[in-house]
Amino acid sequence: MAVDQATVRRIAHLARIKLADAEVPHLADELNSILAFVEELSSVDVSGVEPMTSVMPMHLYERVDVVDDGEIADQIVANAPVTEDHFFVVPKVVE
């Protein structure tokens, strides 16, 4: 897949980027280089390679998946103008 100058102009238009005509050939070459690199990467055999979340070995800490209210209901509604039993009171918007 090659990017031509018309495609570069269209991409710039969609991204709302103003390009001078002199910049278009250079950007087309850069985009083609990037696409060629991506194609080269896709040809690499990664079967048997474990997916990584980081380049450094790290232990991901897990917490217990428990639903609670955090016991800070008073702090949450502290700045609300009107509350009732830890709920925000708002004007009725649906009749």
Side-chain angles (χ1 to χ4, degrees), residues 54-74:
S54 172
V55 292
M56 300 291 293
M58 298 174 59
H59 175 71
L60 297 178
Y61 297 99
E62 297 179 0
R63 62 176 171 78
V64 179
D65 190 16
V66 176
V67 178
D68 65 6
D69 63 359
E71 299 178 9
I72 57 170
D74 291 331

Side-chain angles (χ1 to χ4, degrees), residues 41 43-50:
L41 287 177
S43 67
V44 175
D45 180 21
V46 293
S47 60
V49 177
E50 290 289 323

Side-chain angles (χ1 to χ4, degrees), residues 25-88:
H26 173 70
L27 290 174
D29 290 341
E30 281 193 16
L31 288 172
N32 285 321
S33 296
I34 292 169
L35 291 174
F37 182 68
V38 170
E39 283 186 26
E40 186 178 335
L41 287 177
S42 67
S43 67
V44 175
D45 180 21
V46 293
S47 60
V49 177
E50 290 289 323
M52 298 174 32
T53 57
S54 172
V55 292
M56 300 291 293
M58 298 174 59
H59 175 71
L60 297 178
Y61 297 99
E62 297 179 0
R63 62 176 171 78
V64 179
D65 190 16
V66 176
V67 178
D68 65 6
D69 63 359
E71 299 178 9
I72 57 170
D74 291 331
Q75 295 175 16
I76 292 173
V77 297
N79 293 329
V82 181
T83 63
E84 183 177 319
D85 295 330
H86 298 134
F87 291 100
F88 295 96

Side-chain angles (χ1 to χ4, degrees), residues 9-38:
R9 286 188 180 91
R10 177 151 174 77
I11 292 169
H13 174 74
L14 292 173
R16 308 267 193 251
I17 298 172
K18 184 176 180 181
L19 288 181
D21 287 340
E23 296 174 299
V24 173
H26 173 70
L27 290 174
D29 290 341
E30 281 193 16
L31 288 172
N32 285 321
S33 296
I34 292 169
L35 291 174
F37 182 68
V38 170

